[in-house]
Amino acid sequence: MSPPHCTVAKLDFGVLPVPDDDTQSHHVLGKDERHVRFQNPYPSAGPTVYPLPTALKLLRGSITGKMPSPSIKNAADVIPVSKQSPHLNPPSPSQTLRATWLGHAAYHVAFPSTNPDSNVTGLRVLFDPVFESRCSGVQWAGPKRFTPAPCTSSEVAPNIDIICISHSHYDHLSYNTISEIARQNPGVHFFVGLGLKSWFVNQCSIPDKNVTELDWWEGAELNLSRGEETIKAQISCLPSQHASGRTLGDKDTTLWASWSIESSGKKIWFAGDTGYRVIPSELEHHPDFDSIDDYGKEYEDLPRCPSFKEIGELRGPFDLGLIPIGAYKPRWMWSSVHANPRDAVEIFKDTKCKKAMGIHWGTWVLTSEEIDEPPRLLREALKSCGIEETGVFDICAIGETREF
């Protein structure tokens, strides 16, 4: 296929509103005092989580029964998969924002056409695509998909203009998926956090000009010529509370991020993967740790990540938020980097999203909550916060398209 002409211009820092505090506080020097690493700069993240101790805790939890593996026997009933994605194949112009869940954190979003009489589709964005069976460095080991992908990377590739990547973990960044999409659609443009561009250029042989690397609070303007029309968009790299790494030796050497995109009068926010506030690790030894309400009175004063309110105040409101609701149990282990449904509702409120869809669940067994728990707890969280339980912050079938 002949790719449309695309230009991306990085905006000078401060052109878009930024927080008053030190926006570089997430940059730290490595032990050699030369190579930059990244950190979560707020108390809400707790101490740094390291891969090897985490793996040992997982092993111990599995042996002792503290981290049971959830059943996936009824996965098809709990998380239906639709193979019908009408705006993906073939694409068609629309005056609405259309979002299609492709499993886990992967979402395809089609923005409205540039004008009501246009026969040209608006900007088409893909977030964190992973279509492999396993989210792992190899396809013979690692977490195996228990719900099928609604399409392949080859099928979706022609209908993408840009791809935004939240971070380098295997359930959000796949070498096979990225390489196949780039081969099928050589004009696609990638937006990534600091330090990650070299992986795309060196590992995937993607041209340097097709990858834009941004720091938190930085932005870029995109102009895309499709036919006789020009599609304009503003892309912003924004904070999240997480980590990065693909091996034992590259922890936190690339930046994790959330993303906002504005085009054709619509604005969305993709949270990627994030925690919100850390639960004390000593709860590991609590006799009834699994039933503790960490939003109860005893824990109501735990520090919250301030970045989300800053995102809402400085870059919001958003027509749609894509916010993680899964991979959170046990809380004493995962709360610093993964949001549970109540965290997700608080993030939704902080970021001033008008509507939201839940991501980061229903695809791989990564933690110990039952596969049907995230949507159930999401409804309970919405109710406890006085928000409608359906139609505001919702879930959908994999492969289903919602319009906003």
Side-chain angles (χ1 to χ4, degrees), residues 69 83 271 282 385 389:
S69 182
K83 292 290 185 178
E282 54 264 27
C385 292
E389 294 175 47

Side-chain angles (χ1 to χ4, degrees), residues 234-399:
Q234 189 176 90
I235 294 95
S236 292
C237 177
L238 297 169
S240 64
Q241 181 174 290
H242 200 59
S244 68
R246 294 173 75 80
T247 69
L248 290 176
D250 69 344
K251 177 175 171 52
D252 298 345
T253 57
T254 63
L255 184 61
W256 49 97
S258 63
W259 295 91
S260 75
I261 300 178
E262 184 173 8
S263 183
S264 301
K266 293 286 187 179
K267 188 190 295 187
I268 68 170
W269 180 65
F270 174 71
D273 201 353
T274 187
Y276 185 59
R277 44 179 220 146
V278 68
I279 304 304
S281 60
E282 54 264 27
L283 287 182
E284 175 183 0
H285 307 293
H286 193 286
D288 197 25
F289 68 88
D290 218 22
S291 62
I292 290 174
D293 177 11
D294 55 61
Y295 273 90
K297 191 170 184 179
E298 186 177 356
Y299 303 105
E300 61 185 359
D301 293 329
L302 291 175
R304 305 182 180 205
C305 181
S307 296
F308 300 107
K309 278 198 172 182
E310 292 174 337
I311 289 170
E313 291 167 359
L314 297 173
R315 303 293 175 89
F318 302 96
D319 296 288
L320 175 64
L322 302 173
I323 303 176
I325 63 170
Y328 51 80
K329 257 184 184 177
R331 295 293 286 148
W332 51 261
M333 184 171 187
W334 296 112
S335 61
S336 64
V337 291
H338 287 164
N340 72 357
R342 179 58 189 271
D343 292 336
V345 172
E346 297 299 323
I347 292 170
F348 167 76
K349 294 190 298 182
D350 284 355
T351 52
K352 298 184 179 180
C353 294
K354 299 174 185 176
K355 298 287 181 72
M357 298 298 293
I359 64 171
H360 206 259
W361 73 287
T363 307
W364 292 286
V365 172
L366 301 176
T367 48
S368 60
E369 74 270 8
E370 292 298 326
I371 61 172
D372 63 344
E373 187 177 278
R376 176 169 53 82
L377 293 191
L378 176 61
R379 291 190 295 271
E380 293 177 9
L382 290 166
K383 184 177 180 179
S384 68
C385 292
I387 301 172
E388 290 181 42
E389 294 175 47
T390 57
V392 178
F393 190 158
D394 219 340
I395 61 160
C396 66
I398 294 176

